[in-house]
Amino acid sequence: MFQGPFAESIIHNAIDEQLLSIHIHNIRDYTTDKHHVTDDYAYGGGGGMVMKPDPIFTAVESVLGLTKSQDSIMQNTDSAVQDLALNTQLPLLSTPIILMSPAGRRFNHEMAKELARHERIALICGHYEGVDERVREQLCTDAISIGDYVLTGGELPAMVIVDAVARQIPKVLPEFAPLNESHANGLLEYPHYTRPPEFRGWRVPDILLSGHHANIKKWRQQQSELRTRAASSQRSILEG
Ligand code: SAH
């Protein structure tokens, strides 16, 4: 699941330039039984399987505590991430260990910025009905939700977080990019236009063609404020 998104565009370049490395570990590889079972029936009944604590604890402790990350699928496809020793000597405590969970804190721009300051982060992807609660209580430092809906697994949420965090790492984006972006300064970004100046009868606002930089700046600021106000009143209507 991870190979596609991380092999493209900005994230791919960032890996290539060693600004970031991504290691993927299969929890199943940390089971000790013959069939590599990672789930079991829920105590108390009810349908659905629950991910067992043992393989997850073992996986996280082994990945963060030391060792070789030979199970990273990115390793084979990208020479830039082959030097996996880079981030693996750090003490366990300094690494946020985050469970992907619809019951977690709602992910946002501030959290992405905060996570980008860490040398490394560990994201745990759940499946089935969820994960034994002791993982959240005793192993994880945090639980994050990417929105108020339920997905079939934690992989997509983890990829969303990696993408958003990667953009906050210095040099991943061009210098100018992160400053005006939506959410960076509490405002949504102004609308963008490119050529042609008229498309199917819809014209680019005259001011953008005027070449008058001060006025353009003012117009963009106004548009940002309008959009932000519109979006926040829409949200407060939705949230009742
Ligand atoms: N029964 C659970 C949902 C399990 S979904 C409940 O009702 O809360 C299976 C896994 O997908 C979860 O363990 C989690 O890792 C991941 N997941 C699903 N939706 C998510 C979301 N909105 N944000 C983050 N992770 C999510």
Side-chain angles (χ1 to χ4, degrees):
M1 284 186 79
F2 292 91
Q3 231 154 0
F6 294 157
E8 292 297 327
S9 165
I10 288 176
I11 301 295
H12 175 79
N13 293 341
I15 294 171
D16 233 21
E17 287 163 28
Q18 305 197 12
L19 299 170
L20 116 115
S21 60
I22 299 165
H23 311 291
I24 293 131
H25 307 273
N26 192 347
I27 291 166
R28 213 175 273 287
D29 296 341
Y30 296 88
T31 50
T32 48
D33 63 303
K34 191 167 98 202
H35 299 291
H36 303 292
V37 175
T38 57
D39 61 328
D40 208 336
Y41 295 101
Y43 275 123
M49 303 301 280
V50 176
M51 287 185 74
K52 290 148 66 75
D54 189 19
I56 300 179
F57 272 78
T58 309
V60 171
E61 285 163 356
S62 128
V63 168
L64 296 189
L66 23 136
T67 48
K68 54 207 188 254
S69 305
Q70 79 274 43
D71 46 347
S72 159
I73 59 168
M74 304 303 288
Q75 191 179 9
N76 301 328
T77 56
D78 203 313
S79 59
V81 293
Q82 281 187 0
D83 180 15
L84 297 174
L86 197 66
N87 288 340
T88 49
Q89 304 302 329
L90 296 165
L92 196 96
L93 279 179
S94 67
T95 303
I97 303 170
I98 305 163
L99 181 67
M100 303 294 96
S101 165
R105 291 196 294 143
R106 179 102 63 86
F107 190 56
N108 63 24
H109 181 78
E110 286 311 311
M111 287 154 79
K113 260 172 44 183
E114 202 278 319
L115 289 176
R117 286 199 283 268
H118 291 271
E119 273 297 309
R120 60 177 182 170
I121 61 177
L123 306 176
I124 303 174
C125 306
H127 249 273
Y128 316 114
E129 233 5 83
V131 177
D132 186 290
E133 189 61 18
R134 287 164 288 187
V135 170
R136 169 67 189 100
E137 283 173 357
Q138 310 296 340
L139 180 66
C140 292
T141 59
D142 202 357
I144 293 181
S145 162
I146 62 159
D148 292 342
Y149 40 79
V150 177
L151 301 162
T152 47
E155 292 86 355
L156 288 169
M159 285 187 260
V160 166
I161 290 171
V162 167
D163 191 291
V165 170
R167 304 176 100 259
Q168 300 302 322
I169 295 173
K171 301 203 184 90
V172 166
L173 294 181
E175 285 294 315
F176 61 85
L179 298 174
N180 292 327
E181 272 195 326
S182 296
H183 306 294
N185 51 7
L187 287 176
L188 301 177
E189 202 176 38
Y190 48 79
H192 300 286
Y193 293 90
T194 183
R195 284 184 292 185
E198 184 171 329
F199 171 69
R200 296 191 177 176
W202 302 305
R203 286 188 50 75
V204 172
D206 286 334
I207 188 141
L208 293 178
L209 309 176
S210 70
H212 195 303
H213 292 296
N215 285 351
I216 290 173
K217 201 171 157 203
K218 214 163 89 192
W219 179 85
R220 285 179 164 170
Q221 178 68 22
Q222 284 165 350
Q223 291 294 315
S224 277
E225 288 166 13
L226 281 173
R227 279 190 154 183
T228 310
R229 223 171 293 134
S232 77
S233 68
Q234 205 177 13
R235 271 176 212 154
S236 54
I237 291 166
L238 286 175
E239 283 159 16

mmCIF file with all atom_site columns, all heavy atoms in Angstrom, residues 156-167:
data_model
loop_
_atom_site.group_PDB
_atom_site.id
_atom_site.type_symbol
_atom_site.label_atom_id
_atom_site.label_alt_id
_atom_site.label_comp_id
_atom_site.label_asym_id
_atom_site.label_entity_id
_atom_site.label_seq_id
_atom_site.pdbx_PDB_ins_code
_atom_site.Cartn_x
_atom_site.Cartn_y
_atom_site.Cartn_z
_atom_site.occupancy
_atom_site.B_iso_or_equiv
_atom_site.pdbx_formal_charge
_atom_site.auth_seq_id
_atom_site.auth_comp_id
_atom_site.auth_asym_id
_atom_site.auth_atom_id
_atom_site.pdbx_PDB_model_num
ATOM 1  N N   . LEU A 1 156 ? -3.722 4.347  5.270  1.00 0.00 ? 156 LEU A N   1
ATOM 2  C CA  . LEU A 1 156 ? -3.997 5.646  4.632  1.00 0.00 ? 156 LEU A CA  1
ATOM 3  C C   . LEU A 1 156 ? -3.795 6.791  5.621  1.00 0.00 ? 156 LEU A C   1
ATOM 4  O O   . LEU A 1 156 ? -3.122 7.774  5.279  1.00 0.00 ? 156 LEU A O   1
ATOM 5  C CB  . LEU A 1 156 ? -5.406 5.661  4.017  1.00 0.00 ? 156 LEU A CB  1
ATOM 6  C CG  . LEU A 1 156 ? -5.569 4.811  2.754  1.00 0.00 ? 156 LEU A CG  1
ATOM 7  C CD1 . LEU A 1 156 ? -7.045 4.666  2.385  1.00 0.00 ? 156 LEU A CD1 1
ATOM 8  C CD2 . LEU A 1 156 ? -4.804 5.404  1.591  1.00 0.00 ? 156 LEU A CD2 1
ATOM 9  N N   . PRO A 1 157 ? -4.323 6.709  6.842  1.00 0.00 ? 157 PRO A N   1
ATOM 10 C CA  . PRO A 1 157 ? -4.023 7.777  7.813  1.00 0.00 ? 157 PRO A CA  1
ATOM 11 C C   . PRO A 1 157 ? -2.515 7.981  8.012  1.00 0.00 ? 157 PRO A C   1
ATOM 12 O O   . PRO A 1 157 ? -2.053 9.121  8.056  1.00 0.00 ? 157 PRO A O   1
ATOM 13 C CB  . PRO A 1 157 ? -4.685 7.275  9.106  1.00 0.00 ? 157 PRO A CB  1
ATOM 14 C CG  . PRO A 1 157 ? -5.826 6.431  8.630  1.00 0.00 ? 157 PRO A CG  1
ATOM 15 C CD  . PRO A 1 157 ? -5.354 5.778  7.367  1.00 0.00 ? 157 PRO A CD  1
ATOM 16 N N   . ALA A 1 158 ? -1.746 6.909  8.091  1.00 0.00 ? 158 ALA A N   1
ATOM 17 C CA  . ALA A 1 158 ? -0.299 7.055  8.280  1.00 0.00 ? 158 ALA A CA  1
ATOM 18 C C   . ALA A 1 158 ? 0.324  7.779  7.088  1.00 0.00 ? 158 ALA A C   1
ATOM 19 O O   . ALA A 1 158 ? 1.193  8.644  7.258  1.00 0.00 ? 158 ALA A O   1
ATOM 20 C CB  . ALA A 1 158 ? 0.353  5.683  8.467  1.00 0.00 ? 158 ALA A CB  1
ATOM 21 N N   . MET A 1 159 ? -0.145 7.469  5.899  1.00 0.00 ? 159 MET A N   1
ATOM 22 C CA  . MET A 1 159 ? 0.403  8.133  4.709  1.00 0.00 ? 159 MET A CA  1
ATOM 23 C C   . MET A 1 159 ? 0.021  9.606  4.675  1.00 0.00 ? 159 MET A C   1
ATOM 24 O O   . MET A 1 159 ? 0.812  10.449 4.275  1.00 0.00 ? 159 MET A O   1
ATOM 25 C CB  . MET A 1 159 ? -0.059 7.420  3.438  1.00 0.00 ? 159 MET A CB  1
ATOM 26 C CG  . MET A 1 159 ? 0.673  6.102  3.229  1.00 0.00 ? 159 MET A CG  1
ATOM 27 S SD  . MET A 1 159 ? 0.290  5.352  1.643  1.00 0.00 ? 159 MET A SD  1
ATOM 28 C CE  . MET A 1 159 ? -0.922 4.142  2.129  1.00 0.00 ? 159 MET A CE  1
ATOM 29 N N   . VAL A 1 160 ? -1.194 9.902  5.114  1.00 0.00 ? 160 VAL A N   1
ATOM 30 C CA  . VAL A 1 160 ? -1.620 11.308 5.199  1.00 0.00 ? 160 VAL A CA  1
ATOM 31 C C   . VAL A 1 160 ? -0.695 12.062 6.163  1.00 0.00 ? 160 VAL A C   1
ATOM 32 O O   . VAL A 1 160 ? -0.213 13.165 5.863  1.00 0.00 ? 160 VAL A O   1
ATOM 33 C CB  . VAL A 1 160 ? -3.089 11.401 5.677  1.00 0.00 ? 160 VAL A CB  1
ATOM 34 C CG1 . VAL A 1 160 ? -3.456 12.812 6.109  1.00 0.00 ? 160 VAL A CG1 1
ATOM 35 C CG2 . VAL A 1 160 ? -4.032 10.921 4.570  1.00 0.00 ? 160 VAL A CG2 1
ATOM 36 N N   . ILE A 1 161 ? -0.413 11.453 7.288  1.00 0.00 ? 161 ILE A N   1
ATOM 37 C CA  . ILE A 1 161 ? 0.430  12.110 8.286  1.00 0.00 ? 161 ILE A CA  1
ATOM 38 C C   . ILE A 1 161 ? 1.854  12.273 7.766  1.00 0.00 ? 161 ILE A C   1
ATOM 39 O O   . ILE A 1 161 ? 2.455  13.346 7.876  1.00 0.00 ? 161 ILE A O   1
ATOM 40 C CB  . ILE A 1 161 ? 0.375  11.342 9.620  1.00 0.00 ? 161 ILE A CB  1
ATOM 41 C CG1 . ILE A 1 161 ? -1.016 11.535 10.234 1.00 0.00 ? 161 ILE A CG1 1
ATOM 42 C CG2 . ILE A 1 161 ? 1.474  11.809 10.577 1.00 0.00 ? 161 ILE A CG2 1
ATOM 43 C CD1 . ILE A 1 161 ? -1.306 10.680 11.440 1.00 0.00 ? 161 ILE A CD1 1
ATOM 44 N N   . VAL A 1 162 ? 2.388  11.231 7.156  1.00 0.00 ? 162 VAL A N   1
ATOM 45 C CA  . VAL A 1 162 ? 3.754  11.324 6.612  1.00 0.00 ? 162 VAL A CA  1
ATOM 46 C C   . VAL A 1 162 ? 3.833  12.449 5.578  1.00 0.00 ? 162 VAL A C   1
ATOM 47 O O   . VAL A 1 162 ? 4.765  13.254 5.582  1.00 0.00 ? 162 VAL A O   1
ATOM 48 C CB  . VAL A 1 162 ? 4.194  9.981  5.980  1.00 0.00 ? 162 VAL A CB  1
ATOM 49 C CG1 . VAL A 1 162 ? 5.463  10.167 5.148  1.00 0.00 ? 162 VAL A CG1 1
ATOM 50 C CG2 . VAL A 1 162 ? 4.423  8.938  7.070  1.00 0.00 ? 162 VAL A CG2 1
ATOM 51 N N   . ASP A 1 163 ? 2.835  12.534 4.720  1.00 0.00 ? 163 ASP A N   1
ATOM 52 C CA  . ASP A 1 163 ? 2.856  13.566 3.684  1.00 0.00 ? 163 ASP A CA  1
ATOM 53 C C   . ASP A 1 163 ? 2.821  14.961 4.307  1.00 0.00 ? 163 ASP A C   1
ATOM 54 O O   . ASP A 1 163 ? 3.633  15.832 3.972  1.00 0.00 ? 163 ASP A O   1
ATOM 55 C CB  . ASP A 1 163 ? 1.670  13.349 2.735  1.00 0.00 ? 163 ASP A CB  1
ATOM 56 C CG  . ASP A 1 163 ? 1.766  14.216 1.494  1.00 0.00 ? 163 ASP A CG  1
ATOM 57 O OD1 . ASP A 1 163 ? 1.630  15.450 1.631  1.00 0.00 ? 163 ASP A OD1 1
ATOM 58 O OD2 . ASP A 1 163 ? 1.985  13.681 0.393  1.00 0.00 ? 163 ASP A OD2 1
ATOM 59 N N   . ALA A 1 164 ? 1.902  15.160 5.230  1.00 0.00 ? 164 ALA A N   1
ATOM 60 C CA  . ALA A 1 164 ? 1.763  16.489 5.848  1.00 0.00 ? 164 ALA A CA  1
ATOM 61 C C   . ALA A 1 164 ? 3.001  16.855 6.664  1.00 0.00 ? 164 ALA A C   1
ATOM 62 O O   . ALA A 1 164 ? 3.431  18.008 6.671  1.00 0.00 ? 164 ALA A O   1
ATOM 63 C CB  . ALA A 1 164 ? 0.508  16.532 6.723  1.00 0.00 ? 164 ALA A CB  1
ATOM 64 N N   . VAL A 1 165 ? 3.575  15.875 7.351  1.00 0.00 ? 165 VAL A N   1
ATOM 65 C CA  . VAL A 1 165 ? 4.767  16.136 8.175  1.00 0.00 ? 165 VAL A CA  1
ATOM 66 C C   . VAL A 1 165 ? 5.973  16.407 7.271  1.00 0.00 ? 165 VAL A C   1
ATOM 67 O O   . VAL A 1 165 ? 6.750  17.331 7.517  1.00 0.00 ? 165 VAL A O   1
ATOM 68 C CB  . VAL A 1 165 ? 5.050  14.951 9.126  1.00 0.00 ? 165 VAL A CB  1
ATOM 69 C CG1 . VAL A 1 165 ? 6.411  15.105 9.805  1.00 0.00 ? 165 VAL A CG1 1
ATOM 70 C CG2 . VAL A 1 165 ? 3.953  14.851 10.185 1.00 0.00 ? 165 VAL A CG2 1
ATOM 71 N N   . ALA A 1 166 ? 6.094  15.642 6.205  1.00 0.00 ? 166 ALA A N   1
ATOM 72 C CA  . ALA A 1 166 ? 7.245  15.798 5.303  1.00 0.00 ? 166 ALA A CA  1
ATOM 73 C C   . ALA A 1 166 ? 7.311  17.219 4.750  1.00 0.00 ? 166 ALA A C   1
ATOM 74 O O   . ALA A 1 166 ? 8.392  17.805 4.642  1.00 0.00 ? 166 ALA A O   1
ATOM 75 C CB  . ALA A 1 166 ? 7.160  14.786 4.159  1.00 0.00 ? 166 ALA A CB  1
ATOM 76 N N   . ARG A 1 167 ? 6.158  17.800 4.428  1.00 0.00 ? 167 ARG A N   1
ATOM 77 C CA  . ARG A 1 167 ? 6.137  19.159 3.875  1.00 0.00 ? 167 ARG A CA  1
ATOM 78 C C   . ARG A 1 167 ? 6.638  20.196 4.871  1.00 0.00 ? 167 ARG A C   1
ATOM 79 O O   . ARG A 1 167 ? 6.956  21.316 4.499  1.00 0.00 ? 167 ARG A O   1
ATOM 80 C CB  . ARG A 1 167 ? 4.709  19.532 3.455  1.00 0.00 ? 167 ARG A CB  1
ATOM 81 C CG  . ARG A 1 167 ? 4.104  18.574 2.490  1.00 0.00 ? 167 ARG A CG  1
ATOM 82 C CD  . ARG A 1 167 ? 2.665  18.920 2.189  1.00 0.00 ? 167 ARG A CD  1
ATOM 83 N NE  . ARG A 1 167 ? 2.538  19.632 0.934  1.00 0.00 ? 167 ARG A NE  1
ATOM 84 C CZ  . ARG A 1 167 ? 2.374  20.932 0.810  1.00 0.00 ? 167 ARG A CZ  1
ATOM 85 N NH1 . ARG A 1 167 ? 2.255  21.673 1.866  1.00 0.00 ? 167 ARG A NH1 1
ATOM 86 N NH2 . ARG A 1 167 ? 2.308  21.494 -0.374 1.00 0.00 ? 167 ARG A NH2 1
#
